[in-house]
Structures are given as structure tokens and as C-alpha cells.
Coordinates of all heavy atoms in Angstrom, one line a residue:
M1 N -1.4 2.6 15.4 CA -1.9 2.3 14.1 C -0.9 1.5 13.3 O 0.2 1.3 13.7 CB -2.3 3.6 13.5 CG -3.7 3.9 13.7 SD -5.0 2.5 13.3 CE -4.9 2.6 11.5
G2 N -1.2 1.1 12.1 CA -0.5 0.4 11.2 C 0.7 1.3 10.5 O 0.8 2.4 10.8
A3 N 1.5 0.5 9.7 CA 2.5 1.2 9.0 C 2.1 1.6 7.6 O 1.4 0.8 7.0 CB 3.8 0.4 8.9
A4 N 2.4 2.8 7.2 CA 2.0 3.2 5.8 C 2.9 2.3 4.8 O 4.1 2.4 4.9 CB 2.2 4.6 5.6
I5 N 2.1 1.7 3.9 CA 3.0 0.9 3.0 C 2.9 1.4 1.6 O 3.7 1.2 0.7 CB 2.5 -0.7 3.0 CG1 1.0 -0.6 2.7 CG2 2.8 -1.3 4.3 CD1 0.5 -2.0 2.1
R6 N 1.9 2.3 1.3 CA 1.8 2.9 0.0 C 1.2 4.2 0.1 O 0.4 4.5 1.1 CB 0.8 2.1 -0.9 CG 1.6 1.0 -1.7 CD 0.8 0.1 -2.4 NE 0.1 0.6 -3.5 CZ -0.8 0.0 -4.2 NH1 -1.2 -1.1 -3.8 NH2 -1.5 0.4 -5.2
H7 N 1.6 5.1 -0.7 CA 1.2 6.5 -0.8 C 0.6 6.7 -2.2 O 1.3 6.6 -3.2 CB 2.3 7.5 -0.6 CG 3.1 7.1 0.5 ND1 2.7 7.4 1.9 CD2 4.4 6.6 0.8 CE1 3.6 7.0 2.7 NE2 4.7 6.5 2.0
L8 N -0.7 7.1 -2.2 CA -1.4 7.4 -3.4 C -1.6 8.9 -3.5 O -2.2 9.5 -2.6 CB -2.7 6.8 -3.5 CG -2.7 5.2 -3.4 CD1 -3.9 4.6 -2.9 CD2 -2.3 4.7 -4.8
T9 N -0.9 9.6 -4.4 CA -1.0 11.0 -4.5 C -1.6 11.6 -5.8 O -1.5 10.9 -6.8 CB 0.4 11.7 -4.3 OG1 1.2 11.2 -5.3 CG2 1.0 11.3 -3.0
A10 N -2.3 12.7 -5.8 CA -2.8 13.4 -6.9 C -2.8 14.9 -6.6 O -2.8 15.4 -5.5 CB -4.2 13.0 -7.2
T11 N -2.8 15.6 -7.8 CA -2.7 17.1 -7.7 C -3.9 17.8 -8.1 O -4.6 17.3 -9.2 CB -1.5 17.5 -8.7 OG1 -0.4 16.8 -8.4 CG2 -1.1 18.9 -8.5
N12 N -4.3 18.8 -7.5 CA -5.5 19.5 -7.8 C -5.3 20.6 -8.8 O -4.0 20.8 -9.1 CB -6.4 20.0 -6.6 CG -5.7 21.2 -5.9 OD1 -4.7 21.7 -6.5 ND2 -6.3 21.7 -4.8
P13 N -6.2 21.2 -9.5 CA -5.9 22.3 -10.5 C -5.0 23.4 -10.0 O -4.3 24.1 -10.6 CB -7.3 22.8 -10.9 CG -8.2 21.7 -10.6 CD -7.7 21.0 -9.4
G14 N -5.1 23.6 -8.6 CA -4.3 24.7 -8.0 C -2.8 24.3 -7.8 O -2.0 25.1 -7.3
G15 N -2.5 23.0 -8.1 CA -1.2 22.6 -8.0 C -0.9 21.9 -6.6 O 0.3 21.6 -6.2
Q16 N -1.9 21.8 -5.7 CA -1.7 21.2 -4.4 C -1.7 19.7 -4.5 O -2.5 19.2 -5.3 CB -2.8 21.8 -3.5 CG -2.2 21.7 -2.1 CD -3.4 22.1 -1.1 OE1 -4.4 22.7 -1.5 NE2 -3.4 21.7 0.2
V17 N -0.8 19.1 -3.8 CA -0.7 17.7 -3.9 C -1.4 17.1 -2.6 O -1.3 17.5 -1.5 CB 0.7 17.2 -3.9 CG1 0.8 15.6 -3.8 CG2 1.4 17.7 -5.0
F18 N -2.3 16.1 -2.9 CA -3.0 15.4 -1.7 C -2.6 14.0 -1.8 O -2.3 13.4 -2.9 CB -4.5 15.5 -2.0 CG -5.0 16.8 -1.9 CD1 -5.2 17.7 -2.9 CD2 -5.4 17.3 -0.6 CE1 -5.6 19.0 -2.8 CE2 -5.9 18.6 -0.4 CZ -6.1 19.5 -1.5
T19 N -2.5 13.4 -0.5 CA -2.0 12.0 -0.4 C -3.0 11.2 0.5 O -3.5 11.7 1.4 CB -0.7 12.1 0.5 OG1 0.2 13.0 -0.2 CG2 -0.1 10.7 0.5
V20 N -3.3 10.0 -0.1 CA -4.0 9.0 0.7 C -3.0 8.0 1.0 O -2.4 7.3 0.1 CB -5.3 8.5 0.0 CG1 -5.8 7.3 0.7 CG2 -6.2 9.7 -0.2
N21 N -2.8 7.5 2.3 CA -1.9 6.5 2.6 C -2.6 5.1 2.8 O -3.8 5.2 3.3 CB -1.2 6.8 3.9 CG -0.3 8.0 3.8 OD1 0.5 8.0 2.9 ND2 -0.4 8.8 4.7
I22 N -2.1 4.1 2.3 CA -2.5 2.7 2.6 C -1.7 2.2 3.8 O -0.5 2.1 3.7 CB -2.4 1.7 1.5 CG1 -3.4 2.3 0.3 CG2 -2.9 0.3 1.8 CD1 -3.3 1.5 -0.9
E23 N -2.4 2.0 5.0 CA -1.6 1.6 6.2 C -1.9 0.1 6.5 O -3.0 -0.4 6.3 CB -2.0 2.4 7.4 CG -1.8 3.8 7.3 CD -2.0 4.5 8.5 OE1 -2.5 4.0 9.4 OE2 -1.7 5.7 8.6
R24 N -0.9 -0.7 6.7 CA -1.1 -2.0 7.1 C -0.9 -2.4 8.5 O 0.1 -1.9 9.1 CB 0.0 -2.9 6.2 CG -0.3 -4.4 6.4 CD 0.5 -5.1 5.3 NE -0.2 -4.9 4.0 CZ 0.1 -5.4 2.9 NH1 1.4 -6.1 2.7 NH2 -0.6 -5.3 1.8
D25 N -1.9 -3.0 9.0 CA -1.9 -3.3 10.5 C -1.5 -4.8 10.8 O -2.3 -5.7 10.4 CB -3.4 -3.0 11.1 CG -3.2 -2.9 12.6 OD1 -2.3 -3.6 13.2 OD2 -4.0 -2.2 13.2
F26 N -0.3 -5.1 11.2 CA 0.1 -6.4 11.3 C -0.4 -7.0 12.6 O 0.0 -8.2 12.8 CB 1.7 -6.4 11.2 CG 2.2 -6.0 10.0 CD1 2.6 -4.7 9.7 CD2 2.3 -7.0 8.8 CE1 3.3 -4.4 8.4 CE2 2.9 -6.6 7.7 CZ 3.2 -5.3 7.5
R27 N -1.1 -6.4 13.4 CA -1.6 -7.0 14.7 C -2.7 -8.1 14.4 O -3.0 -8.8 15.1 CB -2.2 -5.9 15.6 CG -1.1 -5.0 16.2 CD -1.6 -3.9 17.0 NE -2.5 -3.1 16.2 CZ -3.2 -2.0 16.7 NH1 -3.2 -1.8 18.0 NH2 -3.9 -1.3 15.8
Y28 N -3.2 -7.8 13.1 CA -4.3 -8.9 12.8 C -3.6 -10.1 11.9 O -2.6 -9.8 11.4 CB -5.3 -8.2 11.7 CG -6.1 -7.1 12.5 CD1 -5.7 -5.7 12.4 CD2 -7.2 -7.4 13.3 CE1 -6.5 -4.8 13.0 CE2 -7.9 -6.4 13.9 CZ -7.5 -5.1 13.8 OH -8.2 -4.2 14.4
D29 N -4.3 -11.1 12.0 CA -3.7 -12.3 11.2 C -4.8 -12.9 10.5 O -5.8 -13.5 11.1 CB -3.2 -13.3 12.1 CG -2.5 -14.5 11.4 OD1 -2.2 -14.2 10.2 OD2 -2.3 -15.4 12.0
P30 N -5.0 -12.9 9.1 CA -4.1 -12.1 8.2 C -4.1 -10.5 8.4 O -5.2 -10.1 9.0 CB -4.6 -12.4 6.9 CG -6.0 -12.8 7.0 CD -6.2 -13.3 8.4
Y31 N -3.1 -9.9 8.1 CA -3.1 -8.4 8.3 C -4.2 -7.7 7.6 O -4.7 -8.3 6.7 CB -1.6 -7.8 7.8 CG -1.4 -8.1 6.4 CD1 -2.0 -7.5 5.4 CD2 -0.4 -9.2 6.1 CE1 -1.7 -7.8 4.0 CE2 -0.2 -9.5 4.8 CZ -0.8 -8.7 3.7 OH -0.5 -9.0 2.4
R32 N -4.5 -6.5 8.0 CA -5.5 -5.7 7.3 C -4.9 -4.4 6.9 O -4.1 -3.9 7.5 CB -6.6 -5.3 8.4 CG -7.4 -6.5 8.8 CD -8.6 -6.1 9.6 NE -9.0 -7.2 10.4 CZ -10.0 -7.2 11.3 NH1 -10.5 -6.0 11.6 NH2 -10.5 -8.2 11.9
D33 N -5.4 -4.0 5.7 CA -5.1 -2.8 5.2 C -6.1 -1.7 5.4 O -7.3 -1.9 5.4 CB -4.8 -2.8 3.7 CG -3.5 -3.6 3.4 OD1 -2.7 -3.8 4.4 OD2 -3.4 -4.1 2.3
F34 N -5.6 -0.4 5.6 CA -6.6 0.7 5.8 C -6.2 1.8 4.9 O -5.0 1.9 4.6 CB -6.5 1.2 7.3 CG -6.9 0.2 8.4 CD1 -6.0 -0.7 8.9 CD2 -8.2 0.1 8.7 CE1 -6.3 -1.6 9.8 CE2 -8.6 -0.8 9.7 CZ -7.5 -1.8 10.2
L35 N -7.3 2.6 4.5 CA -7.1 3.7 3.7 C -7.2 5.0 4.6 O -8.1 5.1 5.4 CB -8.1 3.9 2.7 CG -7.8 3.2 1.2 CD1 -9.0 3.4 0.4 CD2 -6.6 3.8 0.6
V36 N -6.2 5.9 4.8 CA -6.3 7.1 5.5 C -5.8 8.3 4.8 O -4.7 8.2 4.2 CB -5.4 6.9 6.8 CG1 -5.5 8.2 7.6 CG2 -5.7 5.7 7.5
C37 N -6.7 9.2 4.7 CA -6.4 10.5 3.9 C -5.6 11.3 4.9 O -5.9 11.6 6.0 CB -7.7 11.3 3.6 SG -7.3 12.8 2.8
A38 N -4.5 11.9 4.4 CA -3.6 12.7 5.2 C -4.1 14.1 5.4 O -3.5 14.9 6.1 CB -2.2 12.8 4.5
H39 N -5.2 14.4 4.7 CA -5.6 15.8 4.7 C -7.0 16.1 5.5 O -7.2 17.1 6.1 CB -5.8 16.4 3.4 CG -4.5 16.2 2.6 ND1 -3.4 17.2 2.6 CD2 -4.1 15.2 1.7 CE1 -2.4 16.7 1.9 NE2 -2.7 15.5 1.3
C40 N -7.9 15.1 5.5 CA -9.2 15.4 6.1 C -9.5 14.3 7.0 O -10.7 14.3 7.6 CB -10.3 15.6 5.1 SG -10.5 14.0 4.0
G41 N -8.6 13.2 7.2 CA -8.9 12.1 8.2 C -9.9 11.2 7.7 O -10.4 10.3 8.5
W42 N -10.2 11.1 6.4 CA -11.1 10.2 5.7 C -10.5 8.8 5.9 O -9.4 8.6 5.5 CB -11.3 10.6 4.3 CG -12.0 9.5 3.3 CD1 -13.3 9.3 3.3 CD2 -11.3 8.7 2.4 NE1 -13.6 8.3 2.4 CE2 -12.4 7.9 1.8 CE3 -10.1 8.4 2.1 CZ2 -12.2 7.0 0.9 CZ3 -9.9 7.4 1.1 CH2 -10.9 6.7 0.6
S43 N -11.3 8.0 6.4 CA -10.7 6.4 6.6 C -12.0 5.6 6.5 O -12.7 5.3 7.4 CB -10.2 6.4 7.9 OG -9.6 5.1 8.0
P44 N -12.3 5.1 5.3 CA -13.6 4.3 4.9 C -13.5 3.0 5.5 O -12.3 2.5 5.7 CB -13.6 4.3 3.5 CG -12.2 4.4 3.0 CD -11.4 5.1 4.1
S45 N -14.6 2.4 5.7 CA -14.7 1.0 5.9 C -14.3 0.2 4.7 O -14.7 0.6 3.5 CB -16.2 0.7 6.3 OG -16.4 -0.8 6.1
L46 N -13.6 -0.8 4.8 CA -13.0 -1.6 3.5 C -13.9 -2.7 3.4 O -13.4 -3.7 2.7 CB -11.6 -1.8 3.7 CG -10.7 -0.5 3.6 CD1 -9.2 -0.9 3.7 CD2 -10.9 0.3 2.4
L47 N -15.1 -2.9 4.0 CA -15.9 -4.1 3.9 C -16.7 -3.9 2.5 O -17.9 -3.8 2.7 CB -16.8 -4.3 5.0 CG -16.1 -4.5 6.4 CD1 -17.0 -4.5 7.5 CD2 -15.3 -5.8 6.3
T48 N -16.0 -3.8 1.4 CA -16.6 -3.6 0.2 C -15.8 -4.4 -0.9 O -14.7 -4.7 -0.7 CB -16.6 -2.0 -0.2 OG1 -16.4 -2.0 -1.6 CG2 -15.4 -1.4 0.5
T49 N -16.5 -4.5 -2.0 CA -15.7 -5.2 -3.0 C -15.0 -4.4 -3.9 O -14.3 -4.8 -4.9 CB -16.8 -6.1 -4.0 OG1 -17.8 -5.1 -4.4 CG2 -17.5 -7.2 -3.1
Q50 N -15.1 -3.1 -3.7 CA -14.3 -2.1 -4.4 C -12.9 -2.2 -4.3 O -12.4 -2.5 -3.2 CB -14.7 -0.7 -4.1 CG -15.2 0.1 -5.2 CD -15.5 1.5 -4.8 OE1 -16.0 1.8 -3.7 NE2 -15.2 2.5 -5.7
R51 N -12.1 -2.0 -5.4 CA -10.7 -2.0 -5.3 C -10.2 -0.9 -4.3 O -10.7 0.2 -4.3 CB -10.0 -1.9 -6.6 CG -10.0 -3.3 -7.3 CD -9.3 -3.0 -8.6 NE -8.0 -2.3 -8.6 CZ -7.0 -3.0 -8.5 NH1 -6.9 -4.2 -8.8 NH2 -5.7 -2.3 -8.5
I52 N -9.2 -1.1 -3.5 CA -8.7 -0.2 -2.5 C -8.1 1.0 -3.2 O -8.4 2.1 -2.7 CB -7.7 -0.9 -1.5 CG1 -7.4 -0.1 -0.3 CG2 -6.4 -1.3 -2.2 CD1 -6.8 -0.9 0.8
D53 N -7.4 0.9 -4.2 CA -6.7 2.1 -4.9 C -7.8 2.9 -5.6 O -7.9 4.1 -5.7 CB -5.6 1.8 -5.8 CG -5.9 0.6 -6.7 OD1 -6.9 0.0 -6.5 OD2 -5.1 0.3 -7.6
A54 N -8.9 2.2 -6.2 CA -10.0 2.8 -6.8 C -10.7 3.8 -5.9 O -11.1 4.9 -6.2 CB -10.9 1.9 -7.5
M55 N -10.9 3.3 -4.6 CA -11.5 4.1 -3.5 C -10.7 5.3 -3.3 O -11.2 6.4 -3.1 CB -11.7 3.3 -2.3 CG -12.8 2.2 -2.5 SD -12.8 1.2 -0.9 CE -13.5 2.4 0.1
A56 N -9.4 5.1 -3.2 CA -8.4 6.3 -2.9 C -8.5 7.4 -4.0 O -8.6 8.5 -3.7 CB -7.0 5.7 -2.7
W57 N -8.5 6.9 -5.3 CA -8.6 7.8 -6.4 C -10.0 8.7 -6.3 O -9.9 9.8 -6.6 CB -8.5 7.1 -7.8 CG -7.1 6.4 -7.9 CD1 -6.9 5.2 -8.4 CD2 -5.8 7.0 -7.6 NE1 -5.6 4.9 -8.5 CE2 -4.9 6.0 -8.0 CE3 -5.3 8.3 -7.2 CZ2 -3.5 6.2 -7.9 CZ3 -4.1 8.5 -7.0 CH2 -3.1 7.3 -7.4
E58 N -10.9 8.0 -6.0 CA -12.3 8.4 -5.9 C -12.4 9.5 -5.0 O -13.0 10.6 -5.2 CB -13.3 7.3 -5.7 CG -14.7 7.5 -6.3 CD -15.5 6.2 -6.2 OE1 -16.1 6.1 -5.2 OE2 -15.3 5.3 -7.2
H59 N -11.8 9.2 -3.8 CA -11.8 10.3 -2.7 C -11.1 11.6 -3.1 O -11.4 12.6 -2.9 CB -11.3 9.5 -1.4 CG -11.1 10.7 -0.4 ND1 -12.1 11.2 0.4 CD2 -9.9 11.2 0.1 CE1 -11.6 12.1 1.2 NE2 -10.3 12.2 1.1
L60 N -9.8 11.3 -3.7 CA -9.0 12.4 -4.0 C -9.7 13.3 -5.0 O -9.6 14.4 -5.0 CB -7.7 11.9 -4.6 CG -6.7 11.3 -3.6 CD1 -5.5 10.6 -4.3 CD2 -6.1 12.4 -2.7
A61 N -10.3 12.6 -6.1 CA -11.1 13.4 -7.1 C -12.3 14.0 -6.5 O -12.6 15.2 -6.7 CB -11.4 12.5 -8.3
G62 N -13.1 13.3 -5.7 CA -14.5 13.8 -5.2 C -14.3 14.8 -4.1 O -15.0 15.8 -4.1
S63 N -13.3 14.6 -3.1 CA -13.3 15.5 -1.9 C -12.2 16.6 -2.1 O -12.3 17.7 -1.6 CB -13.0 14.7 -0.7 OG -13.9 13.8 -0.5
H64 N -11.2 16.3 -2.9 CA -10.2 17.4 -3.0 C -9.9 17.9 -4.4 O -8.9 18.7 -4.7 CB -8.9 16.7 -2.5 CG -8.9 16.3 -1.1 ND1 -9.2 17.2 -0.1 CD2 -9.0 15.1 -0.5 CE1 -9.2 16.4 1.1 NE2 -9.1 15.2 0.8
D65 N -10.7 17.4 -5.4 CA -10.7 17.9 -6.8 C -9.3 17.5 -7.3 O -8.8 18.4 -8.2 CB -10.9 19.4 -6.8 CG -11.4 19.7 -8.2 OD1 -11.9 18.9 -8.9 OD2 -11.2 21.0 -8.5
A66 N -8.7 16.5 -6.8 CA -7.3 16.3 -7.3 C -7.3 15.0 -8.3 O -7.5 13.9 -7.7 CB -6.4 15.8 -6.1
T67 N -7.2 15.3 -9.5 CA -7.3 14.2 -10.5 C -6.0 14.2 -11.4 O -5.9 13.2 -12.2 CB -8.6 14.5 -11.4 OG1 -8.5 16.0 -11.9 CG2 -9.8 14.5 -10.7
A68 N -5.2 15.2 -11.3 CA -4.1 15.2 -12.2 C -2.8 14.5 -11.5 O -2.7 14.4 -10.3 CB -3.6 16.5 -12.6
G69 N -1.9 14.0 -12.3 CA -0.7 13.5 -11.9 C -0.7 12.5 -10.8 O -0.1 12.5 -9.8
R70 N -1.6 11.4 -11.1 CA -1.7 10.5 -10.0 C -0.5 9.6 -9.9 O 0.1 9.2 -10.9 CB -2.9 9.4 -10.4 CG -4.2 10.1 -10.2 CD -5.3 9.1 -10.7 NE -6.7 9.7 -10.5 CZ -7.8 9.0 -10.7 NH1 -7.8 8.0 -11.5 NH2 -8.8 9.7 -10.5
T71 N 0.0 9.4 -8.7 CA 1.3 8.5 -8.5 C 0.9 7.6 -7.4 O 0.1 7.9 -6.6 CB 2.5 9.3 -8.1 OG1 2.2 10.0 -6.9 CG2 2.8 10.2 -9.1
D72 N 1.5 6.4 -7.5 CA 1.1 5.3 -6.6 C 2.5 4.8 -6.2 O 3.2 4.0 -6.9 CB 0.4 4.2 -7.4 CG 0.1 3.0 -6.5 OD1 0.7 2.9 -5.4 OD2 -0.7 2.1 -7.1
Q73 N 3.0 5.2 -5.0 CA 4.3 4.8 -4.6 C 4.3 4.0 -3.3 O 3.6 4.2 -2.4 CB 5.1 6.2 -4.2 CG 5.8 6.7 -5.4 CD 6.7 7.9 -4.9 OE1 6.4 8.6 -4.0 NE2 7.8 8.1 -5.5
E74 N 5.3 3.0 -3.5 CA 5.4 2.1 -2.4 C 6.3 2.8 -1.2 O 7.1 3.6 -1.7 CB 6.1 0.8 -2.7 CG 5.3 -0.4 -2.5 CD 6.0 -1.7 -3.1 OE1 6.5 -1.5 -4.1 OE2 6.0 -2.7 -2.2
N75 N 5.9 2.5 -0.1 CA 6.8 3.2 0.9 C 8.2 2.7 1.0 O 8.4 1.6 0.6 CB 6.1 2.8 2.4 CG 6.9 3.4 3.4 OD1 8.0 3.0 4.0 ND2 6.5 4.5 3.9
E76 N 9.2 3.7 1.1 CA 10.6 3.4 0.9 C 11.1 2.2 1.7 O 11.7 1.2 1.2 CB 11.2 4.7 1.1 CG 12.8 4.6 0.6 CD 12.9 4.5 -0.9 OE1 11.9 4.9 -1.6 OE2 13.8 3.7 -1.4
S77 N 10.9 2.2 3.0 CA 11.4 1.2 3.9 C 10.8 -0.2 3.6 O 11.4 -1.2 3.7 CB 11.2 1.6 5.4 OG 9.9 1.8 5.6
F78 N 9.5 -0.1 3.1 CA 8.8 -1.3 2.8 C 9.3 -2.1 1.6 O 9.5 -3.2 1.6 CB 7.3 -1.1 2.6 CG 6.4 -2.3 2.8 CD1 6.2 -2.9 4.0 CD2 5.8 -2.8 1.6 CE1 5.4 -4.0 4.0 CE2 5.0 -3.9 1.7 CZ 4.9 -4.5 2.9
R79 N 9.7 -1.2 0.6 CA 10.3 -1.7 -0.6 C 11.6 -2.3 -0.3 O 12.0 -3.3 -0.9 CB 10.4 -0.5 -1.5 CG 10.8 -1.0 -2.9 CD 10.6 0.1 -4.0 NE 11.1 1.4 -3.6 CZ 10.7 2.5 -4.1 NH1 9.8 2.5 -5.1 NH2 11.1 3.7 -3.8
K80 N 12.5 -1.5 0.5 CA 13.8 -2.1 0.9 C 13.6 -3.5 1.6 O 14.4 -4.4 1.2 CB 14.4 -1.1 1.9 CG 15.2 -0.1 1.1 CD 15.9 0.9 2.1 CE 16.3 2.2 1.3 NZ 16.3 3.2 2.3
A81 N 12.7 -3.6 2.5 CA 12.4 -4.9 3.2 C 12.3 -6.1 2.2 O 12.7 -7.1 2.5 CB 11.3 -4.7 4.1
R82 N 11.4 -5.7 1.1 CA 11.2 -6.8 0.2 C 12.4 -7.1 -0.7 O 12.6 -8.3 -1.0 CB 10.1 -6.3 -0.8 CG 9.3 -7.5 -1.3 CD 8.2 -6.9 -2.2 NE 8.6 -6.0 -3.2 CZ 7.8 -5.4 -4.0 NH1 6.5 -5.6 -4.0 NH2 8.3 -4.5 -4.9
W83 N 13.3 -6.2 -0.8 CA 14.5 -6.3 -1.6 C 15.5 -7.3 -0.8 O 16.3 -8.0 -1.4 CB 15.2 -5.2 -2.0 CG 14.8 -4.6 -3.3 CD1 13.9 -3.5 -3.5 CD2 14.8 -5.2 -4.6 NE1 13.6 -3.3 -4.8 CE2 14.1 -4.3 -5.5 CE3 15.5 -6.3 -5.1 CZ2 14.1 -4.6 -6.9 CZ3 15.4 -6.5 -6.4 CH2 14.8 -5.7 -7.2
V84 N 15.4 -7.2 0.5 CA 16.1 -8.1 1.3 C 15.5 -9.5 1.2 O 16.2 -10.5 1.2 CB 16.1 -7.6 2.8 CG1 16.8 -8.6 3.7 CG2 16.9 -6.3 2.9
M85 N 14.2 -9.6 1.4 CA 13.5 -10.9 1.5 C 13.6 -11.6 0.1 O 13.7 -12.9 0.1 CB 12.0 -10.8 1.7 CG 11.8 -10.2 3.2 SD 12.4 -11.4 4.3 CE 11.4 -12.9 4.1
L86 N 13.7 -11.0 -1.0 CA 13.7 -11.6 -2.3 C 14.8 -12.6 -2.5 O 14.7 -13.7 -2.8 CB 13.6 -10.6 -3.4 CG 12.8 -10.9 -4.6 CD1 11.3 -11.2 -4.3 CD2 13.0 -10.0 -5.7
P87 N 16.1 -12.2 -2.4 CA 17.2 -13.1 -2.5 C 17.2 -14.1 -1.5 O 17.6 -15.4 -1.8 CB 18.5 -12.2 -2.3 CG 17.9 -10.8 -2.4 CD 16.5 -10.8 -2.1
L88 N 16.7 -13.8 -0.3 CA 16.6 -14.8 0.8 C 15.7 -16.0 0.3 O 16.1 -17.2 0.6 CB 16.0 -14.1 2.0 CG 16.7 -14.6 3.4 CD1 18.2 -14.2 3.7 CD2 15.9 -14.0 4.5
C89 N 14.6 -15.7 -0.1 CA 13.7 -16.6 -0.7 C 14.3 -17.6 -1.8 O 14.2 -18.7 -1.8 CB 12.4 -16.1 -1.1 SG 11.4 -15.4 0.2
A90 N 15.0 -16.8 -2.7 CA 15.6 -17.6 -3.8 C 16.7 -18.7 -3.2 O 16.7 -19.8 -3.8 CB 16.3 -16.5 -4.7
V91 N 17.4 -18.2 -2.3 CA 18.4 -19.1 -1.8 C 17.7 -20.3 -1.0 O 18.2 -21.4 -1.2 CB 19.3 -18.4 -0.7 CG1 20.1 -19.3 0.2 CG2 20.2 -17.3 -1.4
L92 N 16.6 -20.0 -0.4 CA 16.0 -21.1 0.3 C 15.3 -22.1 -0.8 O 15.4 -23.3 -0.5 CB 14.8 -20.6 1.1 CG 15.1 -20.0 2.5 CD1 13.9 -19.3 3.2 CD2 15.4 -21.4 3.3
V93 N 14.8 -21.6 -1.9 CA 14.3 -22.5 -2.9 C 15.4 -23.3 -3.5 O 15.2 -24.6 -3.6 CB 13.6 -21.6 -4.0 CG1 13.2 -22.5 -5.2 CG2 12.3 -21.0 -3.4
I94 N 16.4 -22.7 -3.8 CA 17.6 -23.5 -4.4 C 18.1 -24.5 -3.5 O 18.4 -25.7 -3.9 CB 18.7 -22.5 -4.8 CG1 18.4 -21.5 -5.9 CG2 20.1 -23.2 -5.0 CD1 19.2 -20.3 -6.1
A95 N 18.2 -24.2 -2.2 CA 18.7 -25.1 -1.2 C 17.7 -26.4 -1.0 O 18.1 -27.5 -1.0 CB 18.7 -24.5 0.2
L96 N 16.4 -26.0 -1.2 CA 15.4 -27.1 -1.2 C 15.5 -28.1 -2.3 O 15.3 -29.2 -2.3 CB 14.0 -26.3 -1.2 CG 12.8 -27.2 -0.4 CD1 13.0 -27.1 1.0 CD2 11.5 -26.6 -0.9
L97 N 15.8 -27.4 -3.5 CA 15.9 -28.2 -4.7 C 17.1 -29.2 -4.6 O 17.0 -30.3 -5.0 CB 16.0 -27.3 -5.9 CG 14.8 -26.7 -6.4 CD1 15.1 -25.6 -7.5 CD2 13.8 -27.6 -6.9
V98 N 18.1 -28.7 -4.1 CA 19.4 -29.5 -3.9 C 19.1 -30.6 -3.0 O 19.5 -31.7 -3.3 CB 20.5 -28.6 -3.4 CG1 21.7 -29.3 -2.9 CG2 21.0 -27.5 -4.5
V99 N 18.5 -30.3 -1.9 CA 18.1 -31.4 -0.9 C 17.2 -32.5 -1.5 O 17.4 -33.6 -1.3 CB 17.5 -30.7 0.3 CG1 16.8 -31.7 1.3 CG2 18.5 -29.9 1.1
L100 N 16.2 -32.0 -2.3 CA 15.2 -32.9 -2.9 C 15.9 -33.9 -4.0 O 15.6 -35.0 -4.1 CB 14.2 -32.2 -3.6 CG 13.2 -31.5 -2.6 CD1 12.1 -30.8 -3.4 CD2 12.4 -32.6 -1.8
Q101 N 17.0 -33.3 -4.6 CA 17.6 -34.1 -5.7 C 18.6 -35.0 -5.2 O 19.0 -36.0 -5.9 CB 18.3 -33.2 -6.7 CG 17.3 -32.7 -7.7 CD 18.0 -31.6 -8.7 OE1 19.0 -31.2 -8.4 NE2 17.3 -31.3 -9.7
S102 N 19.1 -34.8 -4.0 CA 20.1 -35.7 -3.5 C 19.5 -37.0 -2.8 O 18.3 -37.0 -2.5 CB 21.1 -35.0 -2.5 OG 20.3 -34.6 -1.4
Ligands
ZN8 ZN1 -9.4 13.6 2.1

């Protein structure tokens, strides 16, 4: 399966935290994102116009009664990878500008 790129969590009235992961499958081109609930195996078809995070919140509220303390966190390693890519892209753009001006 894909790599979890985001974690959407919410807390139910009993204080239990529920998590829905957004997994990205890079085997597809363009890649595809999937929603997977870590607690009940819920994994909906995403052939819908609904927003992916709205669906996750709806599931957490509807199936697990978890409506409080919603957090939307990016996966740690995924975030780090982007921090490496960002300066790299900036350097490339600057290099391109220098080449175009000469
Ligand atoms: Zn669930």
C-alpha cells in the first residue's frame, strides 16, 4: 500500500483519539490518495467531488463520535522531504534565471 502522508485526528467525548490516515500511492501516475481509518478499516471510494478531508471529518464524527480537537498533521518524514526539495528548487530557478540573462 501507499505511504501515509497526513494524519487527521479527532477526540470523542470519552477522550479517545481516532485517526484517519491519508495514504498516497506512488505506483500510479499521477499518484492517488486514499483515506484509511486506523480503527475500523473504513476506506471509501474517492470517486466523488467531496473534499478528502471533509470526508475524513465526517467519518470520525459519524462512526466514532469524535468531533473535538480536530488536528490535521502532515507526516513527519514527508514534511522533511519537502524541506529538502524547497531549497533545491529555489537554486534551480536562480540558476535558470542566470542562464537566461547571459
Ligand atoms: Zn473508522
Side-chain angles (χ1 to χ4, degrees):
M1 269 311 284
I5 56 158
R6 264 167 82 190
H7 310 287
L8 301 156
T9 62
T11 313
N12 75 0
Q16 199 184 344
V17 178
F18 291 92
T19 308
V20 169
N21 293 312
I22 298 179
E23 295 187 355
R24 182 161 290 179
D25 196 330
F26 291 99
R27 288 174 301 176
Y28 295 98
D29 185 24
Y31 56 74
R32 289 187 199 171
D33 288 347
F34 297 90
L35 274 176
V36 183
C37 179
H39 306 275
C40 65
W42 172 78
S43 187
S45 158
L46 294 180
L47 297 172
T48 146
T49 51
Q50 234 186 325
R51 280 176 55 97
I52 192 164
D53 50 350
M55 289 174 73
W57 298 134
E58 214 167 86
H59 172 76
L60 286 168
S63 299
H64 302 293
D65 202 20
T67 50
R70 286 176 178 178
T71 63
D72 176 354
Q73 270 189 327
E74 241 179 314
N75 185 273
E76 195 59 34
S77 55
F78 198 70
R79 187 165 48 197
K80 275 183 196 148
R82 208 178 47 184
W83 274 112
V84 173
M85 285 308 291
L86 213 68
L88 215 70
C89 289
V91 167
L92 273 172
V93 167
I94 291 166
L96 204 73
L97 283 174
V98 169
V99 167
L100 285 176
Q101 275 177 348
S102 62

